[in-house]
Amino acid sequence: MEFEREYSRVGPVENRLPSPNRSLPIALMRARESVMSPIRAMLLESGLTEQQWRVLRVLAEYGPQDATEVSEHAGLMMPSLTRIVKRMCENGLITRVKDETDGRRQTLSLTDAGHAMIEANKDVALGIVNGFKERLGPENYEILLDLLQAISQRGEH
C-alpha cells in the first residue's frame, strides 16, 4: 500500500505503469489458468500433457503436416516439439516420416490411436468450450479470440 501511494506521486498518469489489476500480462496469465484448469482435469484422465493435446488437435484439424507447421499452429518451440513428438510416436499417437529429399523435414500424422484419443475427449472438450461461450456470450467469445489473435501476430508492437 505504501508503494502505491509513493508510486502514485511519480509523474503524470501516462507515465505510470498500469495497476496489476489492469496489467495485460497478469490478466493473460490469470485467464490462462482459468481456461486451462478444466482442460488439465480432462487431460489428467487421458494421460496427455497440454502440449501433446495441442499437437493432436492441430493434426486432427489440419491433417498431416511438416513439424515446423505443427510447431507454429500449436504454439510450441521446435526443440520442445521434437521431444513431444518422440514421446507421442513411442505411445503410438502419431507417426513421423522423414522427407526423402530433405532429411531435416518430417511429416507428422495422427494414428488411429491419436484419432481415438481426440474422439475420447471430444465431448468434454466441447463442454469446456461451450462453458466459456456461455460465460462470455458467443459474440464476446469470438471477439476475444480475434483480439488474442491480433496480439499474437508477429510484427511491430
Side-chain angles (χ1 to χ4, degrees):
M1 193 70 154
E2 186 62 35
F3 174 77
E4 287 178 353
R5 273 187 254 130
E6 284 296 315
Y7 189 74
S8 66
R9 290 187 226 140
V10 179
V13 172
E14 63 271 6
N15 289 336
R16 288 189 227 148
L17 287 171
S19 163
N21 290 332
R22 300 301 294 168
S23 165
L24 182 60
I26 293 171
L28 287 171
M29 293 304 293
R30 287 181 182 144
R32 182 185 195 283
E33 290 308 308
S34 179
V35 168
M36 291 308 299
S37 181
I39 294 170
R40 285 186 191 117
M42 174 189 77
L43 295 177
L44 185 62
E45 291 184 25
S46 300
L48 293 172
T49 66
E50 295 170 36
Q51 296 83 2
Q52 289 171 338
W53 178 247
R54 293 190 332 236
V55 170
L56 289 177
R57 291 274 292 114
V58 164
L59 292 173
E61 177 75 18
Y62 299 105
Q65 288 189 37
D66 178 88
T68 303
E69 294 170 319
V70 172
S71 170
E72 290 170 7
H73 284 120
L76 294 166
M77 302 296 283
M78 278 303 290
S80 297
L81 180 64
T82 300
R83 289 187 299 275
I84 293 163
V85 164
K86 182 177 187 248
R87 178 74 183 251
M88 293 179 79
C89 287
E90 290 169 355
N91 292 340
L93 297 171
I94 65 173
T95 60
R96 168 181 46 191
V97 177
K98 289 192 178 194
D99 188 292
E100 292 179 14
T101 58
D102 183 353
R104 297 169 296 178
R105 289 190 64 191
Q106 302 175 28
T107 300
L108 306 177
S109 303
L110 280 182
T111 63
D112 289 342
H115 283 288
M117 188 65 77
I118 292 285
E119 283 301 312
N121 289 287
K122 185 177 175 182
D123 290 340
V124 174
L126 283 172
I128 293 167
V129 168
N130 289 332
F132 284 109
K133 284 182 181 179
E134 286 176 22
R135 195 161 144 192
L136 295 170
E139 187 176 334
N140 284 336
Y141 179 85
E142 293 300 324
I143 289 169
L144 176 60
L145 289 175
D146 290 342
L147 292 171
L148 291 170
Q149 187 174 20
I151 287 174
S152 299
Q153 291 175 345
R154 301 194 195 269
E156 294 188 24
H157 301 269

